[in-house]
Amino acid sequence: MELGKPNLEVFADTLLELGQQHRDLLVVTGDSRGSGKLVLFGQKLPEQIVEIGIAEQNLVGVSAGLASTGKKVFAVSPASFLTARSFEQIKNDVAYSDIPVKLIGISAGVSYGALGTTHHSLHDFAALRAVNNIHIVVPADNFETRKAIEASLDYPYPLYIRFGKKAVPHVHDPSTNFEIGKAIKLKTGSDVTFIATGETVFRAVEACNLLEGQGISCGVISMHTLKPLDEAAVLEAARDSRVIITVEEHSIHGGLGCACASFLLQEGLHNPFKIIGIPDEYNVNGSQDEILEYYGITPGGLAQSARDLIYVEVPE
Amino acid sequence: MEIQELERKSIQYRKAILSIIKKANAGHTGGDLSCVEILNVLYNHVMNVSPENFTDPNRDRYIQSKGHSVETLFTVLADKGFYPEEELDTLNQFQSHFIGHPTRKVNGVEHNTGALGHGLSVSVGIALAGKKNGLSYRVYTLLGDGELEEGSNWEASMSAAHYKLDNLVVIIDRNTLQITGRTEEVSQLEPLSDKFKAFGYAVRETDGNDLAALVQVFGQIPFEKGKPSLILAHTTKGKGISFIEDQVSWHHHTPTDQEFVVAMTELQQAEEAWQVQYGTR
Ligand SMILES: Cc1ncc(C[n+]2csc(CCOP(=O)(O)OP(=O)(O)O)c2C)c(N)n1
Ligand SMILES: [Mg+2]
């Protein structure tokens, strides 16, 4: 896979283009325009950027107010602060009040590496999945990021989009069809399917390549929309493959894995199943790559998890 | 400690801070350098806290709400003997507890910070407990000026005044810069002193990079019986290095090899000037 740009940059480029076409598009920042790569946006479209300062709760509340008048509002802040600090504003002023603000969580997951737990967002899927009337999109690569931002512009529901900071490989062909709520199947396999989301998808694709070299038939799904979950795609994967493994840069609690597991169980399907994410412990310190490696969210680690599940001895 | 001793420490702290930032190739250089004198005076002149009394319920407490200036805190704690200075070489490395924000996994750190706007509420809680327990310790907390944009600070301020916490000392690192630019351009803070007075603080303004001025103002605490004390410390972000001072770009910029050499040379010259003035030791 060829290395692309950081999804963050694609987001900023796309937003600038959209902002130039739609003068009712507003970006709201909280001392975050530098980290959001929005300095150029601010220079080119100074009337379309609203600076709130370091006040994430206020940022979301103000965004809701702006959007309630029909403005197309992108509220941009590090995923960690946006979803933890402003949680009640998201729940009440955006989701419950049904105002289609686009909440953009930047530098998500463990992107901030050694800045530590205060800056990591490993709670955001779980928190927002429990809020009615907000949808969650987690793009895997530059293609999905651009498509998600474009699709968000007139999207009728409150939306949370989150991505990381580092350059990611291209996983999709630009001719792929993208629709919020519709998973993208990258590969089909009968032994195992990885259902991955966001910037872990490319790792799952690489794991798949390793496994196929070992004669294991392997599928990959990019579950870019966490909510509403594409249940048909999950069901199909569970019927096509014996083993299901979910992958996310999030706590193992309450994210993609839990969404898939609870759905499959209620459908009466009991495939061997594993949720790969960040475990519930005092998390190790290090760079993003070091943290992900430590928790086995690497091609090698994912392939090992798959083998462990495929070759498990079934008791008599 | 004598002012001249503190002066030398400030120079040495700046050298150590820049060195660990350079080694880790990460850190919040500007905000670190602006609060060196404040931490220096607190830990070496004002507070009753040391590795020996760190478990004493009556020790003074320091909560660094502007957690990103952690390299300064870690440097001062090493100097106080909380851990060997060499441990700071592991800053930001895999499995090190020395990370980019204060954590209680590091000896001497009272509270985990890094998300702005938390330290003041926690400090209010510790100060309130001190009153309830009849203990005489004080709680010192350092906030950034940009950080004041978080509404939680103003909620905490109301509690501080309501509970008449004259054992609480709030220090504002008023360097007039945040990440995006001047605080007054990002979100107007002024008239800041009046706001704090209106919220019930006894306020003193001082030059926050002037050791003697800081020693003097900390000597007057509590400024008023029955009120929390607040020091509006006017500082220069990046203080002590000519090309870093008052530059918005240095919020979390780290020095190149060339910049590092120039910066260390400036500090070396400052230390030599100190030697000439106060004699060798
Ligand atoms: C809740 C929260 N929002 C955003 C940030 C990101 N952030 C880190 S430092 C900083 C600027 C702080 O400015 P200031 O308080 O003036 O600090 P100083 O100038 O002393 O570095 C920001 C926005 C954060 N750490 N926490
Ligand atoms: Mg500042």
Side-chain angles (χ1 to χ4, degrees):
Chain A
M1 278 171 288
E2 191 200 333
L3 193 63
K5 295 200 240 182
N7 286 338
L8 179 63
E9 277 177 33
V10 174
F11 151 73
D13 294 347
T14 312
L15 204 61
L16 179 58
E17 288 166 29
L18 291 174
Q20 281 162 334
Q21 294 158 24
H22 302 270
R23 290 307 165 111
D24 56 348
L25 182 157
L26 293 177
V27 176
V28 187
T29 53
D31 204 11
S32 49
R33 80 178 64 186
S35 8
K37 302 274 175 224
L38 294 166
V39 172
L40 188 65
F41 187 104
Q43 286 162 357
K44 296 226 163 173
L45 302 170
E47 296 300 318
Q48 288 173 246
I49 190 160
V50 178
E51 176 59 59
I52 294 295
I54 312 167
E56 293 79 11
Q57 301 178 58
N58 190 30
L59 181 150
V60 174
V62 169
S63 296
L66 288 165
S68 73
T69 71
K71 300 277 186 204
K72 300 175 194 302
V73 180
F74 289 80
V76 185
S77 174
S80 162
F81 311 130
L82 183 65
T83 57
R85 194 55 160 274
S86 329
F87 186 59
E88 196 173 59
Q89 279 77 10
I90 294 176
K91 171 176 165 274
N92 295 348
D93 304 325
V94 176
Y96 173 49
S97 301
D98 197 20
I99 299 176
V101 174
K102 300 128 207 4
L103 299 159
I104 310 294
I106 61 175
S107 305
V110 294
S111 291
Y112 279 123
L115 290 183
T117 295
T118 55
H119 282 54
H120 296 162
S121 55
L122 299 172
H123 62 276
D124 47 349
F125 299 166
L128 296 183
R129 276 185 66 231
V131 171
N132 296 346
N133 196 42
I134 185 164
H135 293 179
I136 306 170
V137 173
V138 194
D141 68 350
N142 294 177
F143 164 80
E144 284 190 10
T145 303
R146 170 171 282 277
K147 291 292 181 185
I149 298 301
E150 287 171 356
S152 74
L153 190 70
D154 292 310
Y155 197 68
Y157 298 97
L159 193 57
Y160 173 60
I161 304 179
R162 71 101 112 157
F163 41 76
K165 218 160 118 96
K166 275 182 73 167
V168 285
H170 297 294
V171 294
H172 296 296
D173 185 284
S175 64
T176 309
N177 186 45
F178 180 92
E179 199 184 317
I180 292 178
K182 281 257 169 298
I184 302 176
K185 195 190 273 188
L186 286 153
K187 270 185 187 168
T188 313
S190 57
D191 291 321
V192 55
T193 292
F194 289 103
I195 304 179
T197 193
E199 297 171 18
T200 63
V201 172
F202 80 87
R203 295 166 186 265
V205 172
E206 283 174 11
C208 218
N209 294 339
L210 292 175
L211 291 168
E212 279 173 349
Q214 295 157 359
I216 293 171
S217 168
C218 186
V220 183
I221 290 176
S222 172
M223 190 61 77
H224 53 69
T225 305
L226 233 82
K227 192 168 152 239
L229 188 71
D230 185 346
E231 294 178 341
V234 179
L235 201 59
E236 200 175 288
R239 289 189 173 137
D240 288 349
S241 297
R242 199 170 68 79
V243 169
I244 297 291
I245 295 180
T246 63
V247 195
E248 59 202 304
E249 194 172 330
H250 183 272
S251 164
I252 53 168
H253 297 313
L256 173 70
C258 288
C260 294
S262 90
F263 167 71
L264 287 175
L265 207 57
Q266 292 177 77
E267 285 295 312
L269 289 169
H270 308 106
N271 301 53
F273 190 97
K274 187 174 170 71
I275 297 174
I276 296 182
I278 307 290
D280 182 357
E281 63 181 38
Y282 188 93
N283 290 152
V284 74
N285 295 316
S287 69
Q288 180 180 32
D289 282 340
E290 285 166 340
I291 296 170
L292 294 179
E293 167 142 27
Y294 184 79
Y295 292 118
I297 311 178
T298 53
L302 297 178
Q304 183 60 48
S305 291
R307 284 192 300 268
D308 290 348
L309 228 58
I310 290 166
Y311 298 126
V312 74
E313 296 270 343
V314 185
E316 290 289 301
Chain B
M1 204 177 276
E2 297 283 317
I3 298 285
Q4 67 203 56
E5 269 311 302
L6 294 175
E7 267 175 30
R8 185 179 203 178
K9 277 201 181 291
S10 282
I11 301 167
Q12 291 169 340
Y13 287 158
R14 286 194 164 86
K15 283 186 177 174
I17 291 163
L18 285 174
S19 300
I20 60 174
I21 288 177
K22 181 67 188 142
K23 181 144 198 296
N25 193 27
H28 287 83
T29 313
D32 276 339
L33 295 173
S34 85
C35 63
V36 169
E37 280 73 22
I38 294 168
L39 271 82
N40 185 356
V41 170
L42 277 174
Y43 274 96
N44 296 311
H45 189 81
V46 175
M47 289 197 300
N48 173 29
V49 65
S50 64
E52 293 70 42
N53 79 350
F54 196 61
T55 52
D56 179 350
N58 206 20
R59 71 188 180 282
D60 286 332
R61 311 295 205 280
Y62 172 70
I63 305 288
Q64 187 163 304
S65 194
K66 49 167 281 191
H68 57 281
S69 295
V70 69
E71 291 83 14
T72 301
L73 177 60
F74 284 167
T75 296
V76 173
L77 291 178
D79 184 49
K80 288 290 284 185
F82 280 95
Y83 40 80
E85 208 172 273
E86 303 80 68
E87 289 191 18
L88 290 179
D89 288 342
T90 68
L91 180 70
N92 288 3
Q93 286 177 10
F94 184 56
Q95 290 184 323
S96 171
H97 285 310
F98 294 92
I99 61 170
H101 290 103
T103 144
R104 295 174 67 182
K105 296 272 173 186
V106 171
N107 192 22
V109 173
E110 292 279 3
H111 193 72
N112 294 3
T113 51
L116 296 167
H118 286 250
L120 186 48
S121 292
V122 174
S123 300
V124 165
I126 300 173
L128 186 56
K131 292 276 183 194
K132 286 190 185 296
N133 293 334
L135 293 173
S136 59
Y137 65 77
R138 290 202 175 115
V139 187
Y140 298 85
T141 185
L142 178 67
L143 277 65
D145 47 2
E147 181 179 8
L148 295 172
E149 292 154 10
E150 291 285 3
S152 50
N153 293 305
W154 304 93
E155 297 179 19
S157 294
M158 284 190 273
S159 300
H162 182 83
Y163 288 105
K164 304 189 184 349
L165 299 179
D166 54 11
N167 55 348
L168 173 69
V169 184
V170 181
I171 306 129
I172 309 296
D173 187 348
R174 182 69 172 121
N175 57 30
T176 74
L177 285 172
Q178 53 191 104
I179 299 181
T180 305
R182 295 267 166 225
T183 56
E184 296 314 288
E185 285 159 22
V186 173
S187 183
Q188 187 190 316
L189 293 174
E190 294 296 340
L192 196 49
S193 174
D194 291 346
K195 279 183 184 158
F196 286 127
K197 283 177 196 150
F199 270 76
Y201 289 102
V203 179
R204 294 276 188 284
E205 298 199 39
T206 192
D207 179 339
N209 294 126
D210 181 333
L211 292 164
L214 285 167
V215 164
Q216 205 247 338
V217 79
F218 277 115
Q220 297 168 13
I221 285 168
F223 300 148
E224 226 176 284
K225 208 173 162 1
K227 283 187 173 190
S229 302
L230 184 137
I231 300 172
L232 192 48
H234 296 279
T235 56
T236 300
K237 202 158 174 170
K239 178 72 181 180
I241 310 296
S242 59
F243 58 95
I244 303 181
E245 284 191 3
D246 202 34
Q247 295 298 313
V248 66
S249 58
W250 275 88
H251 177 77
H252 46 204
H253 185 66
T254 57
T256 61
D257 292 347
Q258 170 76 26
E259 286 166 342
F260 181 70
V261 170
V262 177
M264 293 302 270
T265 308
E266 285 187 14
L267 292 171
Q268 188 55 37
Q269 284 163 353
E271 194 160 10
E272 280 161 17
W274 185 94
Q275 301 264 12
V276 169
Q277 194 169 356
Y278 299 112
T280 42
R281 237 183 289 176

